[in-house]
Amino acid sequence: MNTDIILTKLLTLPGIIVGLSFHEFAHAWVSDRLGDPTPRRQGRVTINPMAHIDWIGFIALLLVGFGWGKPVQIDPSYYKHRRRDEFLVAIAGVTMNLIIAVILSIPAKMMLKAYSSTVPSDLVYNIYLIIFYAISINVVLMIFNLLPVPPLDGWGIVTQIFRLDRYDWWYKVYNYGMYILLALIVFNVTDLVLTPLVNAVMNIIM
C-alpha cells in the first residue's frame, strides 16, 4: 500500500473513533435520560470507544468511507411518551455527529485563515488534516444514518414521524432491512445519494 494512503488512513482514525463512539453514546444517553435503564446496564452510557465500536463497521468506514457502530439496545416500554421518545433517541446520534462537525469546523477555519498566505509545517498541516477528516467523517455518518432504510436511524425517524409501524409492510421491510441496505451499497445507490449531500453539508460547514 502506498505510504500516502497509509498516512491518510492513520489521520482518519481519530475522526472515525470519535464519530462512531459519540454517535452511539448519544443514543444511549438520551434513552437513559428518558427512563430506559437498558443502555446503562449494558455499559453504553460512556464515550469509551470500546463500548461502541463494531469492528466490521469500523473497518468499512476506514476502507470505503461509511460504516456504523455497535447498535445501542433500548426498551421503549420505559418511555413515558413512546412515539416522541423513540424519535428523540433515533435522532440523537446524527445530531451528535452534526454538533461535532460544526464544533471542529471552528479550529479548522481558523487554521485555514491563519495559514492562507504561508506554508504551515508538516505537523500543523497533519493536525489540520486530522480535524478536517474528523469533520468529513462525522458528516458522512450523519448523512448515511439518515437514510430511511432499516436498521439505520433514518428508518426510526421516518417511522415515528409518519407512524409507519401501523402498517403490516413495515415489519417485512424491517426484517429484510440489512439485505436492502447491502443491495443499495453494492449497486452504488448509497454513494449516489451520499456524495452530493455530504459535499453540500461540507460546503455549508466549511
Coordinates of all heavy atoms in Angstrom, one line a residue, residues 66-154:
F66 N -17.9 4.8 4.7 CA -19.1 4.9 5.6 C -19.2 3.6 6.3 O -18.8 2.5 5.9 CB -20.4 5.1 4.8 CG -20.7 4.2 3.7 CD1 -21.3 2.9 3.9 CD2 -20.3 4.5 2.4 CE1 -21.5 2.1 2.9 CE2 -20.6 3.6 1.3 CZ -21.2 2.4 1.6
G67 N -19.7 3.7 7.6 CA -19.7 2.5 8.4 C -20.7 2.7 9.6 O -21.6 3.6 9.5
W68 N -20.6 2.0 10.6 CA -21.5 2.0 11.7 C -20.9 1.6 13.0 O -19.8 0.9 13.0 CB -22.7 1.1 11.4 CG -22.3 -0.3 11.1 CD1 -22.2 -1.3 12.0 CD2 -22.0 -0.8 9.8 NE1 -21.8 -2.5 11.4 CE2 -21.6 -2.2 10.0 CE3 -21.9 -0.3 8.6 CZ2 -21.2 -3.0 9.0 CZ3 -21.5 -1.1 7.5 CH2 -21.2 -2.5 7.7
G69 N -21.5 1.9 14.1 CA -21.0 1.4 15.4 C -21.9 0.3 15.9 O -22.8 -0.2 15.2
K70 N -21.7 -0.2 17.1 CA -22.5 -1.3 17.7 C -23.8 -0.7 18.1 O -23.8 0.2 19.0 CB -21.7 -1.8 18.9 CG -22.4 -3.1 19.5 CD -21.6 -3.5 20.8 CE -20.2 -3.7 20.5 NZ -19.5 -4.1 21.8
P71 N -24.9 -1.1 17.6 CA -26.2 -0.5 17.9 C -26.5 -0.6 19.4 O -26.3 -1.5 20.1 CB -27.2 -1.4 17.1 CG -26.4 -2.0 16.0 CD -25.0 -2.2 16.6
V72 N -27.1 0.5 19.9 CA -27.5 0.6 21.3 C -28.9 -0.1 21.4 O -29.8 0.3 20.7 CB -27.6 2.1 21.7 CG1 -28.2 2.2 23.1 CG2 -26.2 2.7 21.7
Q73 N -29.0 -1.0 22.3 CA -30.2 -1.7 22.6 C -31.1 -0.8 23.5 O -30.6 -0.3 24.6 CB -30.0 -3.0 23.2 CG -29.3 -4.0 22.2 CD -29.1 -5.4 22.8 OE1 -29.5 -5.6 24.0 NE2 -28.5 -6.3 22.1
I74 N -32.3 -0.6 23.2 CA -33.2 0.2 24.0 C -34.5 -0.6 24.3 O -34.8 -1.6 23.6 CB -33.6 1.5 23.4 CG1 -34.4 1.3 22.1 CG2 -32.4 2.4 23.1 CD1 -35.0 2.5 21.5
D75 N -35.2 -0.2 25.4 CA -36.5 -0.8 25.7 C -37.6 0.3 25.8 O -37.7 1.0 26.8 CB -36.4 -1.6 27.0 CG -37.7 -2.3 27.3 OD1 -38.7 -2.1 26.7 OD2 -37.7 -3.1 28.3
P76 N -38.3 0.6 24.7 CA -39.2 1.7 24.6 C -40.4 1.6 25.6 O -41.1 2.6 25.9 CB -39.8 1.6 23.2 CG -38.7 0.9 22.4 CD -38.2 -0.1 23.4
S77 N -40.6 0.4 26.2 CA -41.6 0.3 27.2 C -41.4 1.2 28.4 O -42.4 1.5 29.2 CB -41.8 -1.2 27.6 OG -40.7 -1.6 28.4
Y78 N -40.2 1.7 28.6 CA -39.9 2.5 29.8 C -40.2 4.0 29.5 O -40.3 4.8 30.4 CB -38.4 2.5 30.2 CG -38.0 1.2 30.9 CD1 -37.4 0.1 30.2 CD2 -38.3 1.0 32.2 CE1 -37.1 -1.0 30.8 CE2 -37.9 -0.1 32.9 CZ -37.3 -1.2 32.2 OH -37.0 -2.3 32.8
Y79 N -40.5 4.3 28.2 CA -40.7 5.7 27.8 C -42.1 6.2 28.2 O -43.1 5.4 28.1 CB -40.5 5.9 26.3 CG -39.1 5.6 25.8 CD1 -39.0 5.2 24.5 CD2 -38.0 5.7 26.6 CE1 -37.7 4.9 24.0 CE2 -36.8 5.4 26.1 CZ -36.6 4.9 24.8 OH -35.4 4.6 24.3
K80 N -42.2 7.4 28.7 CA -43.5 8.0 29.1 C -44.3 8.4 27.8 O -45.5 8.3 27.8 CB -43.3 9.2 30.0 CG -42.7 8.8 31.4 CD -42.6 10.1 32.2 CE -42.0 9.7 33.6 NZ -41.8 10.9 34.4
H81 N -43.6 8.9 26.9 CA -44.3 9.3 25.6 C -43.5 8.5 24.5 O -42.6 9.1 23.9 CB -44.2 10.8 25.4 CG -44.7 11.6 26.6 ND1 -46.0 11.8 26.8 CD2 -44.0 12.2 27.6 CE1 -46.2 12.5 27.9 NE2 -45.0 12.8 28.4
R82 N -44.0 7.3 24.2 CA -43.2 6.4 23.4 C -42.8 6.9 22.0 O -41.7 6.8 21.6 CB -44.0 5.1 23.3 CG -43.2 4.0 22.5 CD -43.7 2.6 22.8 NE -43.0 1.7 22.0 CZ -43.0 0.4 22.2 NH1 -43.7 -0.1 23.2 NH2 -42.3 -0.5 21.4
R83 N -43.8 7.4 21.3 CA -43.5 7.9 19.9 C -42.5 9.0 19.9 O -41.6 9.0 19.2 CB -44.8 8.3 19.3 CG -44.7 8.7 17.8 CD -46.0 9.2 17.2 NE -45.8 9.7 15.9 CZ -46.7 10.5 15.3 NH1 -47.8 10.8 15.9 NH2 -46.5 10.9 14.1
R84 N -42.7 10.0 20.8 CA -41.8 11.2 20.9 C -40.4 10.7 21.3 O -39.4 11.1 20.7 CB -42.4 12.2 21.9 CG -41.5 13.4 22.0 CD -41.7 14.1 23.4 NE -41.3 13.3 24.5 CZ -41.4 13.7 25.7 NH1 -42.0 14.8 26.1 NH2 -40.9 12.9 26.7
D85 N -40.4 9.9 22.3 CA -39.1 9.5 22.9 C -38.3 8.6 21.9 O -37.1 8.7 21.9 CB -39.3 8.8 24.2 CG -39.9 9.7 25.3 OD1 -39.9 11.0 25.0 OD2 -40.3 9.3 26.4
E86 N -39.0 7.7 21.2 CA -38.3 6.9 20.2 C -37.7 7.8 19.1 O -36.6 7.5 18.6 CB -39.2 5.8 19.6 CG -39.5 4.7 20.6 CD -40.1 3.5 19.8 OE1 -39.4 3.0 18.9 OE2 -41.2 3.0 20.2
F87 N -38.4 8.8 18.8 CA -37.9 9.8 17.8 C -36.7 10.5 18.3 O -35.7 10.6 17.6 CB -39.0 10.8 17.4 CG -38.5 11.9 16.6 CD1 -38.4 11.8 15.2 CD2 -38.2 13.2 17.2 CE1 -38.0 12.8 14.4 CE2 -37.7 14.2 16.4 CZ -37.6 14.1 15.0
L88 N -36.7 10.9 19.5 CA -35.6 11.6 20.1 C -34.4 10.7 20.2 O -33.2 11.2 19.9 CB -35.9 12.1 21.5 CG -37.0 13.2 21.6 CD1 -37.3 13.5 23.0 CD2 -36.5 14.5 20.9
V89 N -34.5 9.5 20.6 CA -33.4 8.5 20.6 C -32.9 8.3 19.2 O -31.7 8.3 19.0 CB -33.9 7.2 21.3 CG1 -32.7 6.2 21.2 CG2 -34.2 7.4 22.7
A90 N -33.8 8.1 18.2 CA -33.3 7.9 16.9 C -32.5 9.0 16.3 O -31.5 8.8 15.6 CB -34.5 7.6 16.0
I91 N -32.9 10.3 16.6 CA -32.3 11.4 16.0 C -31.0 11.9 16.8 O -30.2 12.7 16.3 CB -33.2 12.6 15.9 CG1 -32.8 13.5 14.8 CG2 -33.4 13.3 17.2 CD1 -33.9 14.6 14.4
A92 N -30.8 11.3 18.0 CA -29.7 11.7 18.9 C -28.4 11.5 18.2 O -27.5 12.4 18.3 CB -29.8 11.0 20.2
G93 N -28.2 10.4 17.6 CA -26.8 10.0 17.0 C -26.4 11.0 15.9 O -25.3 11.5 15.9
V94 N -27.3 11.2 15.0 CA -27.0 12.1 13.8 C -26.8 13.5 14.3 O -26.0 14.3 13.8 CB -28.0 12.0 12.7 CG1 -28.0 10.6 12.1 CG2 -29.4 12.3 13.2
T95 N -27.6 13.9 15.3 CA -27.5 15.3 15.9 C -26.1 15.4 16.5 O -25.4 16.5 16.3 CB -28.6 15.5 16.9 OG1 -29.8 15.3 16.3 CG2 -28.4 16.9 17.5
M96 N -25.6 14.4 17.2 CA -24.3 14.5 17.8 C -23.2 14.6 16.7 O -22.3 15.4 16.9 CB -24.0 13.2 18.7 CG -22.7 13.2 19.3 SD -22.3 14.5 20.5 CE -23.2 13.9 21.9
N97 N -23.3 13.8 15.7 CA -22.4 13.9 14.6 C -22.3 15.4 14.0 O -21.3 15.9 13.7 CB -22.7 12.9 13.5 CG -22.4 11.5 13.9 OD1 -23.2 10.6 13.7 ND2 -21.2 11.2 14.5
L98 N -23.5 16.0 13.8 CA -23.6 17.3 13.3 C -22.9 18.3 14.3 O -22.1 19.2 13.8 CB -25.0 17.7 13.1 CG -25.2 19.2 12.6 CD1 -24.5 19.4 11.2 CD2 -26.7 19.5 12.4
I99 N -23.2 18.1 15.6 CA -22.6 19.0 16.6 C -21.1 18.9 16.5 O -20.3 20.0 16.6 CB -23.1 18.7 18.0 CG1 -24.6 19.1 18.1 CG2 -22.3 19.4 19.1 CD1 -25.3 18.6 19.3
I100 N -20.5 17.7 16.5 CA -19.1 17.5 16.4 C -18.5 18.2 15.2 O -17.5 18.9 15.3 CB -18.7 16.0 16.5 CG1 -19.1 15.4 17.8 CG2 -17.3 15.8 16.2 CD1 -19.0 13.9 17.9
A101 N -19.1 18.0 14.0 CA -18.6 18.6 12.8 C -18.6 20.1 12.9 O -17.6 20.7 12.4 CB -19.5 18.1 11.6
V102 N -19.7 20.7 13.4 CA -19.7 22.1 13.5 C -18.7 22.7 14.5 O -18.0 23.7 14.2 CB -21.1 22.6 13.9 CG1 -21.2 24.1 14.3 CG2 -22.2 22.3 12.8
I103 N -18.5 22.0 15.6 CA -17.5 22.5 16.6 C -16.1 22.4 16.0 O -15.3 23.3 16.1 CB -17.6 21.6 17.9 CG1 -18.9 22.0 18.6 CG2 -16.4 21.9 18.8 CD1 -19.2 21.1 19.8
L104 N -15.8 21.3 15.3 CA -14.5 21.1 14.8 C -14.2 22.0 13.6 O -13.0 22.3 13.3 CB -14.3 19.6 14.3 CG -14.2 18.6 15.4 CD1 -14.0 17.2 14.8 CD2 -13.0 18.9 16.4
S105 N -15.3 22.5 13.0 CA -15.1 23.4 11.8 C -14.5 24.7 12.3 O -13.8 25.4 11.5 CB -16.4 23.6 11.1 OG -17.3 24.4 11.9
I106 N -14.7 25.1 13.6 CA -14.2 26.4 14.1 C -12.6 26.4 14.0 O -12.1 27.3 13.4 CB -14.7 26.7 15.5 CG1 -16.3 26.8 15.4 CG2 -14.1 27.9 16.1 CD1 -16.9 26.9 16.8
P107 N -11.9 25.5 14.7 CA -10.5 25.5 14.6 C -10.0 25.2 13.2 O -8.9 25.8 12.8 CB -10.0 24.4 15.6 CG -11.2 23.5 15.7 CD -12.4 24.4 15.6
A108 N -10.7 24.4 12.4 CA -10.3 24.2 11.0 C -10.3 25.4 10.2 O -9.3 25.7 9.5 CB -11.2 23.1 10.4
K109 N -11.3 26.2 10.3 CA -11.4 27.5 9.6 C -10.4 28.5 10.1 O -9.8 29.3 9.3 CB -12.8 28.1 9.6 CG -13.8 27.3 8.8 CD -15.2 27.9 8.7 CE -16.0 27.6 9.9 NZ -17.4 28.0 9.8
M110 N -10.1 28.5 11.4 CA -9.1 29.4 12.0 C -7.7 29.0 11.4 O -6.9 29.9 11.1 CB -9.1 29.3 13.5 CG -10.4 29.9 14.1 SD -10.5 29.6 15.9 CE -9.0 30.5 16.5
M111 N -7.4 27.7 11.3 CA -6.2 27.3 10.8 C -6.0 27.7 9.3 O -5.0 28.1 8.9 CB -6.0 25.8 11.0 CG -5.9 25.4 12.5 SD -5.7 23.6 12.7 CE -4.0 23.4 12.2
L112 N -7.1 27.5 8.6 CA -7.1 27.9 7.1 C -6.8 29.4 7.0 O -6.0 29.8 6.1 CB -8.4 27.5 6.5 CG -8.6 26.1 6.1 CD1 -10.0 25.9 5.5 CD2 -7.6 25.7 5.0
K113 N -7.4 30.2 7.8 CA -7.2 31.6 7.7 C -5.8 32.0 8.2 O -5.2 32.9 7.5 CB -8.3 32.3 8.6 CG -8.2 33.8 8.5 CD -9.4 34.5 9.4 CE -9.3 36.0 9.3 NZ -10.4 36.6 10.1
A114 N -5.3 31.4 9.2 CA -4.0 31.7 9.7 C -2.9 31.4 8.7 O -1.9 32.1 8.6 CB -3.8 31.0 11.0
Y115 N -3.1 30.3 8.0 CA -2.0 29.8 7.0 C -2.4 30.0 5.6 O -1.9 29.4 4.7 CB -1.7 28.4 7.3 CG -1.1 28.1 8.6 CD1 -1.8 27.7 9.7 CD2 0.3 28.4 8.8 CE1 -1.2 27.5 11.0 CE2 0.9 28.2 10.0 CZ 0.1 27.8 11.1 OH 0.8 27.6 12.3
S116 N -3.3 31.0 5.3 CA -3.8 31.2 3.9 C -2.6 31.8 3.1 O -2.6 31.6 1.9 CB -5.0 32.1 3.9 OG -4.7 33.4 4.6
S117 N -1.7 32.5 3.7 CA -0.6 33.2 3.0 C 0.7 32.6 3.3 O 1.7 33.1 2.8 CB -0.6 34.7 3.3 OG -0.5 34.9 4.7
T118 N 0.8 31.6 4.1 CA 2.1 31.0 4.5 C 1.9 29.4 4.3 O 0.8 28.9 4.3 CB 2.5 31.3 5.9 OG1 1.5 30.8 6.8 CG2 2.7 32.8 6.1
V119 N 3.1 28.8 4.3 CA 3.1 27.3 4.3 C 3.3 26.8 5.7 O 4.3 27.0 6.3 CB 4.2 26.8 3.3 CG1 4.2 25.3 3.3 CG2 4.1 27.4 1.9
P120 N 2.3 26.0 6.2 CA 2.4 25.5 7.5 C 3.4 24.4 7.6 O 3.8 23.7 6.6 CB 1.0 25.0 7.8 CG 0.5 24.6 6.5 CD 1.0 25.6 5.5
S121 N 3.9 24.1 8.8 CA 4.8 23.0 9.0 C 4.1 21.7 8.8 O 2.8 21.6 8.8 CB 5.4 23.0 10.4 OG 4.4 22.8 11.4
D122 N 4.8 20.6 8.6 CA 4.2 19.3 8.4 C 3.3 18.9 9.6 O 2.2 18.3 9.4 CB 5.2 18.2 8.1 CG 5.9 18.3 6.8 OD1 5.3 19.0 5.9 OD2 7.0 17.7 6.6
L123 N 3.7 19.2 10.8 CA 3.0 18.9 12.0 C 1.6 19.6 12.0 O 0.6 19.0 12.2 CB 3.8 19.2 13.2 CG 3.1 19.0 14.6 CD1 2.6 17.5 14.7 CD2 3.9 19.5 15.7
V124 N 1.7 20.9 11.7 CA 0.5 21.7 11.8 C -0.5 21.3 10.7 O -1.7 21.2 10.9 CB 0.8 23.2 11.6 CG1 -0.4 24.0 11.4 CG2 1.6 23.7 12.8
Y125 N 0.1 21.0 9.5 CA -0.7 20.5 8.4 C -1.4 19.2 8.7 O -2.6 19.0 8.4 CB 0.1 20.4 7.1 CG -0.7 20.0 5.9 CD1 -1.7 20.8 5.4 CD2 -0.4 18.8 5.3 CE1 -2.4 20.4 4.3 CE2 -1.2 18.4 4.1 CZ -2.2 19.2 3.7 OH -2.9 18.8 2.6
N126 N -0.7 18.3 9.3 CA -1.3 17.0 9.7 C -2.4 17.1 10.7 O -3.4 16.4 10.7 CB -0.2 16.0 10.2 CG 0.6 15.5 9.0 OD1 0.2 15.4 7.9 ND2 1.9 15.1 9.3
I127 N -2.2 18.1 11.7 CA -3.2 18.3 12.7 C -4.5 18.9 12.0 O -5.6 18.5 12.3 CB -2.7 19.4 13.7 CG1 -1.6 18.7 14.6 CG2 -3.9 19.8 14.6 CD1 -0.9 19.7 15.5
Y128 N -4.3 19.8 11.0 CA -5.4 20.3 10.2 C -6.1 19.1 9.5 O -7.4 19.1 9.5 CB -5.0 21.3 9.2 CG -6.0 21.6 8.2 CD1 -7.1 22.5 8.6 CD2 -6.0 21.1 6.9 CE1 -8.1 22.7 7.7 CE2 -7.0 21.3 6.0 CZ -8.1 22.2 6.4 OH -9.1 22.4 5.5
L129 N -5.3 18.2 8.9 CA -6.0 17.1 8.2 C -6.8 16.2 9.1 O -7.8 15.7 8.8 CB -4.9 16.3 7.5 CG -4.3 16.9 6.2 CD1 -3.2 16.0 5.7 CD2 -5.3 17.2 5.2
I130 N -6.2 16.0 10.4 CA -7.0 15.1 11.3 C -8.3 15.8 11.6 O -9.4 15.1 11.7 CB -6.1 15.0 12.6 CG1 -4.9 14.1 12.4 CG2 -7.0 14.4 13.8 CD1 -4.0 14.0 13.6
I131 N -8.3 17.1 11.8 CA -9.6 17.8 12.1 C -10.5 17.8 10.9 O -11.7 17.5 11.0 CB -9.3 19.3 12.5 CG1 -8.4 19.3 13.8 CG2 -10.6 20.1 12.7 CD1 -8.0 20.7 14.2
F132 N -9.9 18.0 9.7 CA -10.7 18.0 8.5 C -11.4 16.7 8.3 O -12.6 16.6 7.9 CB -9.9 18.5 7.3 CG -10.7 18.5 6.0 CD1 -11.5 19.5 5.7 CD2 -10.6 17.4 5.1 CE1 -12.3 19.6 4.5 CE2 -11.3 17.4 3.9 CZ -12.2 18.5 3.6
Y133 N -10.6 15.6 8.4 CA -11.1 14.3 8.2 C -12.2 13.9 9.2 O -13.2 13.3 8.9 CB -10.0 13.2 8.3 CG -9.0 13.3 7.1 CD1 -7.7 13.0 7.2 CD2 -9.5 13.5 5.8 CE1 -6.8 13.0 6.2 CE2 -8.6 13.5 4.7 CZ -7.3 13.3 4.9 OH -6.4 13.3 3.8
A134 N -12.0 14.4 10.5 CA -13.0 14.2 11.5 C -14.3 14.9 11.2 O -15.4 14.3 11.4 CB -12.5 14.7 12.9
I135 N -14.2 16.1 10.6 CA -15.4 16.8 10.2 C -16.1 16.0 9.1 O -17.3 15.7 9.1 CB -15.1 18.2 9.7 CG1 -14.5 19.0 10.8 CG2 -16.3 18.9 9.1 CD1 -13.9 20.4 10.3
S136 N -15.3 15.6 8.1 CA -15.9 14.8 6.9 C -16.5 13.5 7.4 O -17.6 13.2 7.0 CB -14.8 14.5 5.9 OG -14.1 15.7 5.5
I137 N -15.9 12.8 8.3 CA -16.4 11.5 8.7 C -17.7 11.7 9.5 O -18.6 10.9 9.3 CB -15.3 10.8 9.6 CG1 -14.2 10.3 8.7 CG2 -15.9 9.6 10.4 CD1 -12.9 9.9 9.4
N138 N -17.8 12.7 10.3 CA -19.0 12.9 11.1 C -20.1 13.4 10.2 O -21.3 13.0 10.4 CB -18.8 14.0 12.2 CG -18.2 13.4 13.5 OD1 -18.9 12.9 14.3 ND2 -16.9 13.4 13.6
V139 N -19.8 14.1 9.1 CA -20.9 14.5 8.2 C -21.3 13.2 7.4 O -22.5 13.0 7.2 CB -20.4 15.5 7.2 CG1 -21.3 15.7 6.0 CG2 -20.1 16.8 7.9
V140 N -20.4 12.4 7.0 CA -20.7 11.1 6.3 C -21.6 10.2 7.2 O -22.6 9.7 6.8 CB -19.5 10.3 5.9 CG1 -19.8 8.9 5.5 CG2 -18.8 11.1 4.8
L141 N -21.2 10.1 8.5 CA -22.0 9.3 9.4 C -23.4 9.9 9.6 O -24.4 9.1 9.7 CB -21.3 9.3 10.8 CG -20.1 8.3 10.9 CD1 -19.4 8.5 12.3 CD2 -20.6 6.8 10.8
M142 N -23.5 11.2 9.7 CA -24.8 11.8 9.8 C -25.7 11.5 8.6 O -26.8 11.1 8.8 CB -24.7 13.3 10.0 CG -26.0 14.1 10.1 SD -25.8 15.9 10.2 CE -25.3 16.2 8.5
I143 N -25.2 11.8 7.4 CA -26.0 11.6 6.2 C -26.3 10.1 6.0 O -27.5 9.8 5.7 CB -25.2 12.2 5.0 CG1 -24.9 13.7 5.1 CG2 -26.1 12.0 3.7 CD1 -26.2 14.6 5.3
F144 N -25.3 9.3 6.1 CA -25.6 7.8 5.9 C -26.6 7.3 6.9 O -27.5 6.6 6.5 CB -24.2 7.1 6.1 CG -24.4 5.6 6.0 CD1 -24.6 5.0 4.7 CD2 -24.2 4.7 7.1 CE1 -24.8 3.7 4.6 CE2 -24.3 3.4 6.9 CZ -24.6 2.8 5.7
N145 N -26.5 7.7 8.1 CA -27.5 7.2 9.1 C -28.9 7.8 9.0 O -29.9 7.3 9.5 CB -27.0 7.4 10.5 CG -26.0 6.3 11.0 OD1 -26.4 5.2 11.3 ND2 -24.7 6.6 10.9
L146 N -29.0 8.9 8.2 CA -30.3 9.5 8.0 C -31.0 8.8 6.8 O -32.2 9.1 6.6 CB -30.1 11.0 7.7 CG -30.0 11.9 8.9 CD1 -29.6 13.3 8.4 CD2 -31.2 11.9 9.8
L147 N -30.4 7.9 6.1 CA -31.1 7.2 5.0 C -32.2 6.4 5.6 O -32.1 5.7 6.6 CB -30.1 6.3 4.3 CG -28.9 6.9 3.6 CD1 -28.0 5.8 3.0 CD2 -29.5 7.8 2.4
P148 N -33.4 6.5 5.1 CA -34.6 5.9 5.6 C -34.7 4.4 5.3 O -35.6 3.9 4.7 CB -35.8 6.6 5.0 CG -35.2 7.1 3.7 CD -33.8 7.4 3.9
V149 N -33.6 3.7 5.7 CA -33.5 2.2 5.5 C -33.2 1.5 6.8 O -32.2 2.0 7.5 CB -32.4 1.9 4.4 CG1 -32.4 0.4 4.2 CG2 -32.7 2.7 3.1
P150 N -33.9 0.5 7.2 CA -33.5 -0.2 8.4 C -32.2 -0.9 8.2 O -32.0 -1.4 7.1 CB -34.7 -1.2 8.6 CG -35.3 -1.4 7.3 CD -35.1 -0.1 6.6
P151 N -31.3 -1.0 9.2 CA -31.5 -0.6 10.6 C -31.0 0.8 10.9 O -30.7 1.1 12.0 CB -30.7 -1.7 11.3 CG -29.5 -1.9 10.4 CD -30.1 -1.8 9.0
L152 N -30.9 1.7 9.9 CA -30.3 3.0 10.1 C -31.3 3.9 10.9 O -32.5 3.7 10.9 CB -29.9 3.6 8.8 CG -28.9 2.8 8.0 CD1 -28.6 3.6 6.6 CD2 -27.6 2.6 8.7
D153 N -30.7 5.0 11.5 CA -31.5 5.9 12.3 C -32.6 6.5 11.5 O -33.7 6.8 12.0 CB -30.6 7.0 12.9 CG -29.6 6.4 13.8 OD1 -29.8 5.4 14.4 OD2 -28.5 7.1 13.9
G154 N -32.4 6.8 10.2 CA -33.4 7.4 9.4 C -34.7 6.6 9.3 O -35.8 7.2 9.2

